[in-house]
Amino acid sequence: MLKSKRTLFAAKVIIISIVLLRIILFTISCSKSDNLPQAEQEASALASADSTDLFKIRFRPQWLHQAQFAGVYMALKKGFYRNYGLDVEIQSGGPDYPAYESLLNGSTDIVTLGLATAIAKTAQDHELVNLAQVSQKSALMLVGKKSPRLQSINDLNGKKVGLWRSDFQDLPLVFFQEKNLHVKVIPIDWTISLLLNDAVDMMNLMVYNEYHQVLMSGIDKEQLFEIRFSDIGYNFIEDGIYTTREFYEKNPVICKNFAEATMDGWLYAINHQDETLDVVLDIMRRNFIPANIPHQAWMLKTWADLILAKPTSIGVLEKRDFEFAQGLLLKNKVIPRKLDYERFYPHAAE
């Protein structure tokens, strides 16, 4: 019985000591905090905050996890979202989880989409808001194997061209129409096998993804006929960060913070590519997505080029890019009406 009382007494002493130690540490912490700049105090408070004190955001990329979305992964990994007061859940994307449809059914809050898709959906269906423009240069290409019958744009007449069953068809179709090219469009899914097996003469590719797959298949660049839309006056930029008008109007500061944290994540990813590649590969493996290290390294490096194509406009949707894309879509009757730039991209006024 005496031993039990001694044990209880000792436990109480330990508890009291711990409480006193915490009070001392808290006092020291507050004293140090008073000497920090206001911004650092706020960042420190956010970093130590419980996730229940943060604003919950569900983010869905428009495709499967890969280096295309490295900025989001690094913003989460390095605590940038938390520093902006956000608790971000990164959801799966791709064909099984369509980004735009997820916005409409309320299963996500913020997504990535191509500019043409976002303009078309806003003009025809539900209004979207661009929070940040990630890519500043079109990554879309048409690629085919060189032959005596395929060495110039005019040689496309009468050729079979594979185009994805998606909104990425818009730019090639507009291009064919403007150049008065009569091609046979072959709807395809996300594969390069038809090109490799000569079932199509050309197909659309992304420079950061399928183009590298073609090169990895053993075909040399010199053996390819390439049309890079950004090089021929069709810089139809793609990936941006979007949400619905309703969500934006309810949470304008939250939306701005998410966009800024994401672009901070991208700048970190660009400057720490080896570390970022490890994070990307880990996410892919945990989601049971085949991870090819050289391919993801190529993708990350290429995305750095796309983001830094306009170093003074990182994350910005420039009016000229918006108007160029909208003008092509209007001219070719892809959309029925003109949109207001500053409503579509509210940060333009800042």
Side-chain angles (χ1 to χ4, degrees):
M1 184 70 174
L2 182 60
K3 183 177 181 181
S4 175
K5 287 182 178 179
R6 286 177 178 173
T7 302
L8 180 62
F9 176 76
K12 287 181 178 178
V13 170
I14 292 172
I15 292 171
I16 292 170
S17 299
I18 291 172
V19 171
L20 289 173
L21 180 59
R22 286 182 175 176
I23 291 172
I24 292 169
L25 290 174
F26 177 77
T27 303
I28 294 172
S29 174
C30 290
S31 175
K32 287 182 178 180
S33 177
D34 290 340
N35 296 323
L36 289 174
Q38 181 64 25
E40 290 187 28
Q41 290 185 41
E42 292 175 359
S44 177
L46 282 171
S48 62
D50 187 85
S51 61
T52 56
D53 298 326
L54 306 177
F55 192 98
K56 178 75 175 181
I57 289 285
R58 298 165 300 171
F59 166 81
R60 193 182 300 283
Q62 81 259 41
W63 195 242
L64 304 176
H65 291 299
Q66 57 185 10
Q68 180 179 359
F69 313 109
V72 178
Y73 306 147
M74 298 314 290
L76 182 64
K77 181 75 173 179
K78 306 308 292 187
F80 299 155
Y81 288 131
R82 179 174 286 271
N83 290 344
Y84 276 91
L86 305 176
D87 174 23
V88 174
E89 173 193 353
I90 302 176
Q91 302 171 318
S92 295
D96 294 334
Y97 306 98
Y100 175 68
E101 286 76 1
S102 295
L103 281 179
L104 297 192
N105 65 30
S107 62
T108 198
D109 304 307
I110 295 176
V111 301
T112 53
L113 292 171
L115 178 59
T117 300
I119 290 176
K121 296 299 185 185
T122 299
Q124 299 168 348
D125 197 358
H126 291 80
E127 187 176 0
L128 301 179
V129 174
N130 181 299
L131 305 180
Q133 184 59 40
V134 182
S135 69
Q136 296 292 337
K137 182 178 179 181
S138 177
L140 194 62
M141 308 171 63
L142 290 175
V143 175
K145 296 178 184 177
K146 276 183 184 176
S147 72
R149 300 182 303 108
L150 185 60
Q151 298 192 38
S152 70
I153 289 176
N154 288 334
D155 289 340
L156 279 172
N157 271 308
K159 298 295 190 298
K160 291 181 290 185
V161 179
L163 298 181
W164 295 322
R165 305 173 198 268
S166 74
D167 296 330
F168 286 113
Q169 285 193 12
D170 290 342
L171 181 56
L173 291 175
V174 166
F175 173 72
F176 298 150
Q177 186 170 330
E178 292 207 329
K179 297 297 182 182
N180 197 29
L181 296 169
H182 303 284
V183 306
K184 182 178 181 181
V185 173
I186 309 295
I188 60 174
D189 295 313
W190 307 90
T191 175
I192 61 171
S193 60
L194 292 182
L195 178 64
L196 297 182
N197 292 301
D198 301 317
V200 294
D201 298 297
M202 295 194 80
M203 69 170 290
N204 58 352
L205 306 173
M206 288 297 186
V207 65
Y208 56 82
N209 196 354
E210 296 81 11
Y211 177 62
H212 186 243
Q213 292 176 22
V214 171
L215 297 178
M216 290 177 68
S217 74
I219 301 176
D220 292 333
K221 178 177 171 61
E222 292 71 24
Q223 296 175 283
L224 297 173
F225 172 59
E226 305 172 3
I227 299 175
R228 298 191 181 218
F229 287 106
S230 62
D231 293 342
I232 59 171
Y234 286 83
N235 190 37
F236 207 97
I237 56 177
E238 288 116 15
D239 288 22
I241 302 171
Y242 292 89
T243 189
T244 61
R245 168 61 57 180
E246 293 80 4
F247 187 84
Y248 174 77
E249 290 186 347
K250 288 179 183 177
N251 309 287
V253 175
I254 291 297
C255 289
K256 182 179 180 181
N257 287 349
F258 180 88
E260 291 185 358
T262 302
M263 296 316 300
D264 287 347
W266 264 117
L267 291 177
Y268 186 92
I270 290 169
N271 288 306
H272 303 82
Q273 294 194 22
D274 289 341
E275 177 187 351
T276 299
L277 188 59
D278 288 339
V279 172
V280 170
L281 294 171
D282 179 61
I283 289 173
M284 293 179 70
R285 287 164 180 158
R286 285 192 283 110
N287 284 273
F288 308 103
I289 300 170
N292 180 301
I293 296 175
H295 183 55
Q296 293 304 313
W298 168 284
M299 188 178 295
L300 181 58
K301 182 180 183 302
T302 306
W303 263 98
D305 295 337
L306 297 174
I307 291 168
L308 299 177
K310 299 174 187 172
T312 60
S313 299
I314 295 174
V316 174
L317 175 59
E318 292 189 349
K319 189 172 184 178
R320 61 180 177 178
D321 289 325
F322 170 80
E323 290 184 341
F324 173 74
Q326 177 171 249
L328 278 180
L329 296 175
L330 279 169
K331 180 180 177 182
N332 292 276
K333 298 181 173 55
V334 177
I335 59 175
R337 64 185 179 90
K338 187 175 183 180
L339 305 179
D340 179 71
Y341 166 65
E342 292 188 357
R343 183 169 176 84
F344 184 81
Y345 177 59
H347 300 314
E350 297 176 358

